[in-house]
């Protein structure tokens, strides 16, 4: 698929390397060298770009500030962040601000292209209708669609639906949700969820899992501060449940 990609990177050699790899895969690439230029490029495009590859440490406005402004403006374009910062707080802040994915420097250009393909597959489609539930019942579906009440997770199409509404998830969020949807009511420890994120990035921890859970609740819960689907099991971890099943009245004897 051909996509319009903006690369915001102040290191000219890094920017040229990323540009060459993206163009080799057939994408149209615009390179800018600082944060304010990245904002101008996104705002003045006739059509919103398909992807922003955004370095964190740049002059005039760093990548985190750029991301903060874009999300405050209601722009939902996918953002893949590149960072030389390896502290956990920096990485968690990027996720919390709305980054769809991140990579820490130094990185493999081939892995970067794989991340780009994943993001574009997830975002460049027309979500017209939720996937149908298969004949296997509430906790499983044909064609590999996973169903937990009104929640649908499609690992093949990389789609999530809640109450008939399409939900955008980052790759890390999707991995966690798909694992839990495959085994509803099972309590997943943080360590078990970390295993689902293995290979997603070299810098992951229990706090990374907690941030993903917090962001997922904002997307799939009617009241994120009072979750009914994605529950905390104190001292153990998290589980995914069907709130309607808990509300259903018991059959009389």
């Amino acid at each position: 698929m051909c996509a319009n990609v903006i690369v915001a990177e102040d290191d000219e050699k890094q920017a040229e390397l990323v540009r060459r790899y993206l163009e080799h895969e057939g994408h149209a690439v615009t390179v800018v060298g600082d944060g304010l230029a990245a904002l101008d490029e996104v705002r003045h495009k006739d059509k919103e770009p398909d992807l922003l590859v955004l370095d964190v440490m740049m002059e005039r406005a760093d990548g985190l500030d750029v991301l903060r402004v874009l999300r405050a403006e209601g722009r939902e374009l996918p953002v893949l962040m590149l960072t030389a910062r390896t502290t956990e707080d920096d990485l968690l802040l990027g996720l919390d601000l709305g980054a769809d994915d991140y990579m820490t420097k130094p990185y493999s250009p081939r892995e970067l292209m794989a991340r780009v393909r994943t993001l574009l597959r997830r975002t460049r489609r027309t979500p017209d209708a939720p996937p149908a539930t298969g004949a296997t019942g509430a906790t499983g579906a044909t064609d590999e669609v996973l169903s937990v009440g009104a929640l649908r997770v499609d690992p093949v199409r990389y789609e999530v639906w809640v109450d008939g509404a399409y939900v955008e998830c980052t790759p890390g969020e999707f991995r966690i949700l798909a694992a839990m949807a495959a085994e509803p009511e099972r309590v997943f420890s943080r360590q078990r969820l970390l295993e689902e994120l293995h290979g997603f990035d070299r810098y992951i921890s229990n706090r990374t899992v907690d941030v993903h859970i917090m962001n997922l609740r904002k997307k799939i819960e009617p009241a994120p501060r009072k979750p009914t689907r994605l529950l905390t099991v104190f001292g153990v971890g998290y589980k995914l449940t069907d709130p309607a099943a808990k509300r259903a009245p018991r059959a009389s004897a």
Side-chain angles (χ1 to χ4, degrees), residues 34-221:
D34 64 72
L36 291 184
L39 286 172
D40 287 342
E41 192 66 34
V42 171
R43 288 165 171 167
H44 296 146
K45 286 280 188 184
D46 293 335
K47 181 181 178 183
E48 188 167 272
D50 298 301
L51 176 66
L52 172 60
V53 179
L54 182 62
D55 185 33
V56 170
M57 299 178 68
M58 294 186 294
E59 296 182 355
R60 300 180 68 202
D62 69 19
L64 294 174
D65 288 335
V66 171
L67 180 59
R68 187 180 287 109
V69 170
L70 291 175
R71 296 310 189 223
E73 292 178 350
R75 300 181 187 273
E76 298 182 355
L77 76 160
V79 176
L80 192 161
M81 303 200 77
L82 306 176
T83 178
R85 299 174 179 175
T86 58
T87 67
E88 183 182 33
D89 287 342
D90 288 325
L91 301 178
L92 294 177
L93 179 58
L95 288 174
D96 197 39
L97 289 175
D100 295 273
D101 200 354
Y102 62 83
M103 293 189 68
T104 50
K105 299 180 179 179
Y107 54 82
S108 160
R110 292 179 61 188
E111 183 183 356
L112 176 61
M113 293 305 104
R115 301 284 188 94
V116 167
R117 287 192 293 271
T118 296
L119 283 175
L120 292 176
R121 278 198 304 271
R122 178 173 63 83
T123 58
R124 299 192 71 193
R125 59 176 177 268
T126 305
D128 296 321
T133 302
T136 57
T139 60
T142 59
D143 298 327
E144 300 185 49
V145 176
L146 307 171
S147 302
V148 184
L151 175 69
R152 305 283 187 269
V153 180
D154 189 336
V156 175
R157 298 178 180 85
Y158 219 87
E159 294 178 352
V160 176
W161 299 79
V162 178
D163 296 320
Y166 177 72
V167 176
E168 287 278 2
C169 291
T170 68
E173 291 165 3
F174 188 88
R175 292 187 190 195
I176 287 176
L177 195 59
M180 299 182 77
E183 299 183 76
E185 299 294 340
R186 172 183 171 178
V187 178
F188 285 76
S189 67
R190 288 178 175 83
Q191 184 58 42
R192 176 66 183 83
L193 294 176
L194 279 174
E195 293 172 6
E196 292 298 326
L197 295 172
H198 180 69
F200 175 67
D201 200 275
R202 290 170 293 169
Y203 300 96
I204 56 176
S205 71
N206 286 342
R207 288 185 61 200
T208 310
V209 170
D210 293 340
V211 168
H212 283 313
I213 294 293
M214 178 184 68
N215 289 335
L216 278 169
R217 282 174 172 162
K218 293 176 182 177
K219 298 176 179 182
I220 70 172
E221 295 281 4

